[in-house]
């Protein structure tokens, strides 16, 4: 290299101290970005995801489903926790569910959050649907116990008020009871249980009026009830209660779950007899969700018999 060329290269080189300054600036920018991550994550987890609704579509194949109910569109909502969760958000969620044109809605408990002041508005939300609503109760739909915890509940004043409010409406509150839906002379049964955490949970009473061969959609708030319902011929159990864990970490899953069988956290499960669907719910117990968006589940019932009869 000539002396002239070498001089030109050296002239274009950055001073040694400026390289150090650039490296420090780059380091500080990256450090600032890392420091902002918990703040950004906190804002996202408390202000955005708890209200970022997800529509989940699932085909549910039921071996004994009558052909008249093939493609029956059932929407499951759960865990509104009205009184804790903002009513305007719940109204928006219900209206989004309405626009999915359901044949029926299954509401699987925790309509309110032990709050009598929210009861009337919460019930009005379910009456916004143009189709029939089938509802069971969750542990937060009863009076809180004397210690203020969500332990076993003996009193049912709030539950009785919900039942009275729904009398004569299109919302069928099923408290250890069943109701029949008919299409073209064929039947589908909805069975609802009182909450597992009360002293009122009674599968024997709930299934008493239903024949063993009937197709049964069972509403039971807590998925831990699945073993207790084994033997009653439930084709599909719909539950909530878990909120999906609310916070789910990659590779770990739900950090906290309020159930004994942690397998039943969210989604669809095959049981020894029938299936179980666990909703992530619309609301929350604490205002935080991460990797676990609130859910409106659109469940399309499919008949194996109807499918077999359809020419290819």
């Amino acid at each position: 290299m000539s002396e002239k060329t070498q001089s030109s290269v050296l002239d274009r080189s950055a001073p040694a101290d400026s390289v150090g300054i650039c490296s420090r600036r780059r380091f500080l920018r990256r450090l600032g970005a890392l420091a902002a991550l918990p703040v950004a994550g906190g804002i996202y987890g408390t202000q955005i995801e708890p209200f970022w609704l997800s529509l989940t579509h699932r085909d549910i194949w039921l071996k004994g489903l009558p052909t008249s109910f093939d493609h029956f569109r059932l929407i499951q909502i759960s865990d509104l926790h009205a009184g804790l969760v903002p009513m305007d958000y719940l109204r928006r969620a219900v209206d989004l569910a309405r626009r999915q044109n359901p044949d029926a809605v299954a509401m699987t408990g925790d309509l309110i959050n032990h709050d009598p002041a929210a009861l009337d508005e919460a019930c009005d939300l379910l009456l916004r649907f143009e189709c029939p609503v089938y509802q069971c109760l969750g542990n937060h739909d009863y009076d809180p116990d004397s210690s203020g915890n969500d332990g076993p509940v003996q009193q049912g004043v709030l539950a009785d008020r919900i039942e009275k409010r729904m009398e004569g409406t299109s919302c069928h509150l099923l408290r250890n009871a069943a109701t029949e839906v008919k299409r073209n002379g064929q039947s589908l049964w909805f069975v609802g249980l009182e909450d597992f955490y009360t002293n009122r949970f009674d599968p024997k009473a709930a299934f008493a009026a239903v024949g063993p061969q009937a197709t049964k959609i069972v509403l039971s708030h807590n998925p831990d009830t699945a073993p207790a319902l084994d033997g009653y011929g439930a084709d599909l159990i719909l539950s909530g209660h878990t909120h999906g864990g609310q916070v789910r970490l990659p590779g770990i899953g739900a950090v906290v779950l309020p159930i004994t069988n942690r397998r039943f956290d969210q989604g669809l499960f095959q049981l020894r007899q029938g299936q179980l669907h666990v909703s992530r719910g619309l609301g929350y117990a604490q205002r935080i969700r991460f990797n676990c968006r609130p859910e409106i589940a659109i469940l399309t019932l499919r008949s194996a018999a109807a499918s077999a009869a359809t020419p290819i």
Side-chain angles (χ1 to χ4, degrees):
M1 181 182 292
S2 68
E3 185 178 345
K4 183 177 180 181
T5 303
Q6 185 177 18
S7 175
S8 175
V9 170
L10 289 174
D11 288 346
R12 289 198 300 270
S13 300
D17 59 343
S18 71
V19 173
I21 291 170
C22 288
S23 297
R24 285 195 298 272
R25 284 176 180 168
R26 188 178 300 113
F27 170 75
L28 290 173
R29 281 199 302 270
R30 291 177 178 174
L31 188 63
L34 287 173
L37 281 176
V39 176
I43 292 171
Y44 171 80
T46 59
Q47 306 298 320
I48 297 174
E49 189 165 311
F51 311 107
W52 184 14
L53 289 162
S54 171
L55 293 174
T56 302
H57 295 262
R58 285 191 171 95
D59 285 349
I60 309 291
W61 290 88
L62 302 177
K63 188 179 293 184
L65 183 70
T67 55
S68 295
F69 290 93
D70 189 45
H71 287 97
F72 188 88
R73 196 172 174 86
L74 177 64
I75 283 185
Q76 182 188 3
I77 58 174
S78 194
D79 298 270
L80 277 66
H81 289 278
L84 173 66
V85 178
M87 194 61 68
D88 58 346
Y89 156 71
L90 293 176
R91 219 172 273 117
R92 177 166 60 89
V94 166
D95 286 344
L96 177 59
R98 287 173 59 207
R99 292 197 295 273
Q100 308 313 307
N101 300 315
D103 293 302
V105 171
M107 162 56 193
T108 48
D110 281 357
L111 175 65
I112 60 174
N113 198 66
H114 298 308
D115 185 359
L119 190 148
D120 286 330
E121 271 193 288
C123 289
D124 286 342
L125 286 174
L126 299 187
L127 299 178
R128 294 170 78 90
F129 289 101
E130 291 85 5
C131 63
V133 177
Y134 302 95
Q135 178 188 4
C136 72
L137 297 175
N139 52 306
H140 285 260
D141 294 319
Y142 299 81
D143 311 337
D145 69 358
S146 57
S147 68
N149 300 317
D150 293 331
V153 184
Q154 303 299 322
Q155 298 180 351
V157 175
L158 287 180
D160 293 344
R161 282 186 56 188
I162 295 173
E163 183 174 21
K164 187 173 179 60
R165 179 68 177 78
M166 293 305 191
E167 282 179 0
T169 72
S170 58
C171 184
H172 307 271
L173 178 56
L174 301 173
R175 302 179 69 180
N176 294 329
T179 188
E180 184 180 19
V181 180
K182 281 188 169 291
R183 272 189 175 185
N184 301 322
Q186 296 180 315
S187 297
L188 176 66
W189 285 82
F190 284 88
V191 182
L193 280 298
E194 297 258 21
D195 188 67
F196 195 43
Y197 285 169
T198 71
N199 62 341
R200 300 167 180 237
F201 177 78
D202 189 349
K204 187 176 180 180
F207 287 87
V210 189
Q213 302 305 315
T215 303
K216 308 169 191 70
I217 308 297
V218 179
L219 282 59
S220 186
H221 177 66
N222 191 326
D224 274 338
T225 58
L229 299 174
D230 191 22
Y232 287 95
D235 294 279
L236 176 63
I237 302 171
L238 301 178
S239 297
H241 186 62
T242 67
H243 305 177
Q246 292 196 192
V247 175
R248 301 182 65 87
L249 301 181
I252 296 175
V255 178
V256 177
L257 284 170
I259 50 175
T260 301
N261 191 337
R262 292 180 59 87
R263 173 187 167 218
F264 298 146
D265 55 351
Q266 63 165 350
L268 186 65
F269 303 91
Q270 186 67 46
L271 304 176
R272 191 183 70 84
Q273 181 182 52
Q275 299 172 73
L276 166 69
H277 185 265
V278 182
S279 168
R280 295 194 299 272
L282 294 178
Y284 45 75
Q286 302 291 331
R287 185 168 157 171
I288 183 169
R289 279 187 181 270
F290 182 81
N291 197 29
C292 188
R293 289 165 60 188
E295 174 182 49
I296 296 167
I298 303 165
L299 309 176
T300 302
L301 305 187
R302 299 303 316 278
S303 167
S307 176
T310 303
I312 298 175

